[in-house]
Amino acid sequence: DIVMTQSPPSLPVTPGEPASISCRSSQSLLHSRGDNYLDWYLQKPGQSPQLLIYLGSNRASGVPDRFSGSGSDTDFTLRISRVEAEDVGVYYCMQALQSPRTFGQGTKLEIK
Amino acid sequence: EVQLVESGGGLVQPGRSLRLSCAASGFRFDDFVMHWVRQAPGKGLEWISSISWNSGSIVYGDSVKGRFTISRDNAKNSLYLQMNSLRADDTALYYCVKDTAAILPVFNAYYYGMDVWGQGTTVTVS
């Protein structure tokens, strides 16, 4: 199975400041067609997870452009250019290249 | 409105069975792969099973393989999870999740993430 490792586990951020979350996979998520099968999901407090980013760098419909995804192969990053109060929650990366799909352990973003 | 509504959760004794259902609406159910993902209390997300649009491809996580069975009825726009031989560590909130691909593996299809999640149904094994 592909192991997904996120850091940091907890991320306190001042509103208006940027934030960055790292996700590393134990195997390459880069398919021969050129796409990285890495998604980012946000689970806000008391809610179901929601899709933020798919294929490493593509924002899902309705996701604000302050969110961006980057990276390739085994190293990926989710960036929030200016954190807002509504961004609090747990962020998960997930690989969709192989079954079983596997999630990172999550990064809890909180407001300072 | 695109919606997934899970049902069937509850309190069950170890070793017993339970069947979860997920009712889909607002989209062409038979066009997409569907998943079950669970979350134990205070823990992260765990994918447990996927089924392709025509049930031709089914995969399970090791933790449930041989005990759980995923199925779908496209005529009823419904996804199911038959859970047998339940254990205490199956206690979790179970989410029904819609994929954007129709087939598995998704790199053989157009893939835009897992874009719709239900509100979950709670299973407690005790």
Side-chain angles (χ1 to χ4, degrees):
Chain A
D1 297 359
I2 298 177
V3 177
M4 307 298 292
T5 303
Q6 285 181 236
S7 62
S10 178
L11 185 57
V13 184
T14 300
E17 293 296 305
S20 179
I21 300 171
S22 173
C23 176
R24 290 186 173 175
S25 57
S26 61
Q27 301 175 36
S28 177
L29 302 183
L30 179 61
H31 188 263
S32 58
R33 291 188 179 144
D35 289 318
N36 286 281
Y37 282 78
L38 185 284
D39 302 335
W40 290 96
Y41 297 87
L42 165 60
Q43 187 173 31
K44 295 182 178 182
Q47 296 186 19
S48 302
Q50 61 187 82
L51 175 66
L52 293 176
I53 302 287
Y54 63 91
L55 295 177
S57 61
N58 299 277
R59 272 190 305 277
S61 176
V63 174
D65 61 7
R66 64 179 180 275
F67 290 92
S68 63
S70 64
S72 183
D73 197 21
T74 62
D75 288 337
F76 300 89
T77 301
L78 176 71
R79 292 185 175 87
I80 310 172
S81 59
R82 294 174 304 280
V83 170
E84 298 186 5
E86 66 180 25
D87 299 335
V88 297
V90 181
Y91 291 78
Y92 295 94
C93 60
M94 185 206 79
Q95 66 82 18
L97 184 66
Q98 293 181 8
S99 291
R101 296 195 184 188
T102 43
F103 291 88
Q105 73 275 30
T107 294
K108 186 174 184 179
L109 187 147
E110 57 188 28
I111 298 296
K112 279 184 183 177
Chain B
E1 179 190 5
V2 176
Q3 198 172 11
L4 297 171
V5 179
E6 303 92 335
S7 60
L11 175 63
V12 61
Q13 294 177 331
R16 303 298 291 264
S17 298
L18 208 57
R19 188 193 195 208
L20 305 184
S21 299
C22 170
S25 58
F27 64 97
R28 281 203 55 154
F29 180 73
D30 56 4
D31 273 353
F32 301 103
V33 169
M34 296 294 295
H35 310 273
W36 288 100
V37 174
R38 70 183 180 183
Q39 186 169 35
K43 302 297 184 181
L45 301 171
E46 179 190 12
W47 168 89
I48 56 174
S49 186
S50 304
I51 185 168
S52 62
W53 71 277
N54 63 352
S55 304
S57 181
I58 289 174
V59 287
Y60 298 100
D62 286 345
S63 62
V64 306
K65 199 175 297 182
R67 300 188 300 122
F68 289 11
T69 301
I70 191 172
S71 62
R72 65 191 295 163
D73 185 336
N74 288 342
K76 295 182 178 179
N77 291 336
S78 293
L79 178 72
Y80 306 101
L81 186 68
Q82 177 67 42
M83 304 186 294
N84 299 331
S85 304
L86 283 161
R87 311 185 302 221
D89 61 359
D90 293 319
T91 294
L93 182 62
Y94 284 74
Y95 293 105
C96 170
V97 185
K98 171 189 169 291
D99 204 292
T100 46
I103 61 174
L104 295 168
V106 295
F107 52 73
N108 287 329
Y110 292 107
Y111 177 72
Y112 308 107
M114 304 195 300
D115 65 338
V116 183
W117 295 63
Q119 85 289 349
T121 187
T122 299
V123 173
T124 303
V125 184
S126 177

